[in-house]
Amino acid sequence: MSEPAAEPASEPVSGPGVERKPRRAALITALLLFAAVGVILVVTTPWNPLPGHVPGGRATPDPALDFTPAQIARSRAFDDALNPVAYGRLVVGLLVVLALGLTPLGARLIGRTTARVRRWPLRVMVAAAVLAVVLRLAALPFGVWGESVLRRYGLSTQSWPAWLLDQLKSLAVAWVMWTIVLLLLFALVRRFPRYWWTGAAAGAFVLVVAGSFLYPVAVEPVFNKFHSLPAGTLRTDLLAMAERDGVPVEDVLVADASRRTTSLNAYVSGFGSTRRIVVYDTLLKSPPARIESIVAHELGHAKNNDVPAGTMIGALGVAGAVCVLYLLLSSPRLLRRAGVPERDGSGVNGGDGPADVRTVALLLALFAVAMQIGGPVQNLISRHIEARADVHALDLTRDPGTFVSMQHELSVRNISDLTPNGLERLLWMSHPAGPERIAMARDWARMHGVPAPPPLNRR
Ligand SMILES: [Zn+2]
């Protein structure tokens, strides 16, 4: 190797006494950051999105009120068809990434594939590419299976070549993101072997914020084309509603989602100058009042600054996770388990400790575990934030009848799970289920003296 060793070989860097101080500092920083995240979440999450007394008591979510037996049966069948795919992908994906990262398998794979690459940044890029491809290949059978289920239920409009192209694009996006993160991380680890976590935690915070800002303009266009909602009554009405709501919206964008799916969706992403409200083109065939109901929900996200707030909280959590990462990577036992030789000052592939490119497999395994822990927390918070956006939509449109028919249409068209069980809620549900959203609209109506929308089955 041509690069100088990260620091003078004479300084003992792996002795227990030397590592104790930065380890203690990293632990305290992680605890402080996680405590901050916990306090912010407890204080700012709208645990009760519709506070107040509902005359006659709160409605109980009941799919049978608004969905026909055939719709309920179809939702069940779809859920049964998709569950083995989803759980299979989760379990196999975790098993593969853990097998690569927590045994010497991944380190060996990286060692072999980067053996002829001399410079460390290139080695990082090759390692990221190899692991991204291996993980994607492990997920591929489940992707094909899931896509064929979507096709059977008429939700997918994609040809297999187009689907495959999407897979390749998302592989490329993942590789670019991992490469950027890993290059920055390794540069810090090599330069500051004992205090890299301070820079990495700060850098991770900045990266998450920058990523959330750049994602709408850099990544979303890779998968979809966007155009402004054309001039007309709908556009005028939507912008007028945003104006009335006090949320400045420059534009409403339409995504060409119909070339991939028949499902309906809308979302807000980005913040500051990249903030946008996006509706799927599949939604435009719905009656204008229903589209207004959806956009009113998205305005709720904008008004409550859900994206920037979520980004900041996520960034703090990621910074805390980086401190934990340092604690883990400075454990010789874990490095040995991952097949990464401890630092011996020789600098080359052999003996760089955490700075060894072969730790990439371990890093991805730890990342996967962190995501798995963070996901359910995120879903729990998200469900409350989504309910708050629903309340905002109802406050703004004062039209619970249209809200209910829109939620009904969303659930039917997307074949949503009408009665998710506890595990499904924990793992996948970022929104309340359709019947819950409908029940809350009825509560809102009763609270505000507006006639509650009658059950759709009995109209
Ligand atoms: Zn939402």
Side-chain angles (χ1 to χ4, degrees):
M1 271 307 299
S2 50
E3 296 97 331
E7 59 179 51
S10 57
E11 188 188 344
V13 288
S14 58
V18 180
E19 301 287 5
R20 205 175 292 148
K21 233 162 84 185
R23 278 179 69 91
R24 197 185 308 134
L27 177 65
I28 292 170
T29 311
L31 290 176
L32 285 175
L33 286 167
F34 288 138
V37 168
V39 169
I40 295 172
L41 286 181
V42 167
V43 171
T44 63
T45 301
W47 299 107
N48 182 8
L50 184 63
H53 173 71
V54 179
R58 299 206 172 223
T60 314
D62 179 5
L65 287 179
D66 302 287
F67 297 87
T68 65
Q71 286 165 344
I72 294 173
R74 188 160 189 258
S75 152
R76 276 228 179 99
F78 182 62
D79 194 42
D80 288 345
L82 221 44
N83 262 338
V85 187
Y87 289 120
R89 182 176 358 216
L90 176 68
V91 171
V92 170
L94 273 178
L95 284 178
V96 171
V97 77
L98 294 182
L100 286 172
L102 297 184
T103 75
L105 271 178
R108 252 182 250 148
L109 180 65
I110 295 171
R112 226 164 270 160
T113 46
T114 59
R116 284 152 178 262
V117 186
R118 285 183 55 79
R119 301 190 63 82
W120 73 264
L122 284 177
R123 282 213 304 271
V124 166
M125 293 171 81
V126 172
V130 168
L131 290 179
V133 168
V134 169
L135 293 175
R136 187 67 52 156
L137 283 177
L140 193 64
F142 297 100
V144 173
W145 185 6
E147 174 65 11
S148 58
V149 171
L150 295 185
R151 202 158 286 212
R152 201 160 72 233
Y153 280 82
L155 277 177
S156 171
T157 54
Q158 253 182 324
S159 65
W160 283 109
W163 179 84
L164 199 63
L165 182 64
D166 267 5
Q167 298 293 309
L168 290 174
K169 281 182 189 171
S170 77
L171 174 65
V173 167
W175 176 68
V176 169
M177 286 182 177
W178 290 0
T179 297
I180 293 171
V181 169
L182 290 170
L183 283 178
L184 292 170
L185 181 66
F186 275 96
L188 283 167
V189 174
R190 296 172 66 86
R191 183 79 184 79
F192 310 102
R194 276 177 295 149
Y195 282 96
W196 59 261
W197 56 275
T198 54
F205 185 92
V206 173
L207 268 188
V208 171
V209 175
S212 176
F213 185 79
L214 289 176
Y215 190 86
V217 284
V219 180
E220 283 175 8
V222 174
F223 296 97
N224 279 104
K225 290 201 174 64
F226 300 90
H227 66 265
S228 297
L229 181 64
T233 331
L234 181 62
R235 182 185 171 84
T236 313
D237 288 352
L238 292 179
L239 292 181
M241 180 170 68
E243 183 86 32
R244 186 153 49 91
D245 198 18
V247 180
V249 171
E250 264 176 61
D251 204 357
V252 177
L253 296 180
V254 180
D256 62 342
S258 59
R259 62 193 185 87
R260 191 174 294 123
T261 180
T262 59
S263 66
L264 309 175
N265 199 10
Y267 61 92
V268 273
S269 62
F271 52 89
S273 61
T274 67
R275 184 172 77 196
R276 48 220 243 142
I277 289 182
V278 177
V279 296
Y280 276 19
D281 56 356
T282 45
L283 193 63
L284 294 181
K285 292 187 197 94
S286 297
R290 291 192 191 174
I291 303 174
E292 273 183 48
S293 174
I294 286 228
V295 171
H297 167 103
E298 304 306 333
L299 288 175
H301 287 310
K303 188 145 193 171
N304 286 303
N305 290 315
D306 289 338
V307 176
T311 300
M312 290 300 161
I313 297 168
L316 283 178
V318 170
V322 166
C323 300
V324 175
L325 181 68
Y326 170 78
L327 293 173
L328 292 170
L329 289 187
S330 55
S331 147
R333 192 144 37 110
L334 187 63
L335 287 181
R336 260 201 307 278
R337 177 178 280 274
V340 182
E342 269 178 78
R343 180 185 290 277
D344 60 8
S346 68
V348 197
N349 239 354
D352 265 356
D356 191 311
V357 172
R358 281 172 291 183
T359 43
V360 169
L362 174 62
L363 288 173
L364 288 184
L366 297 174
F367 176 76
V369 170
M371 293 291 284
Q372 217 41 58
I373 296 170
V377 178
Q378 224 174 332
N379 283 338
L380 173 72
I381 306 295
S382 168
R383 285 195 296 272
H384 288 89
I385 285 173
E386 293 299 336
R388 174 170 66 187
D390 279 351
V391 171
H392 182 88
L394 290 161
D395 286 340
L396 186 59
T397 61
R398 301 192 66 81
D399 185 359
T402 301
F403 181 92
V404 167
S405 43
M406 183 73 248
Q407 291 305 322
H408 184 266
E409 186 182 349
L410 274 178
S411 290
V412 171
R413 287 281 299 277
N414 299 350
I415 326 181
S416 310
D417 194 349
L418 300 173
T419 47
N421 64 34
L423 187 59
E424 288 169 331
R425 284 172 75 85
L426 194 76
L427 290 175
W428 332 113
M429 297 283 290
S430 59
H431 290 61
E436 296 168 38
R437 303 176 79 170
I438 288 174
M440 199 179 69
R442 296 207 165 100
D443 288 344
W444 183 95
R446 268 185 231 107
M447 273 179 82
H448 291 80
V450 177
L456 293 176
N457 273 347
R458 284 177 221 151
R459 273 184 192 178

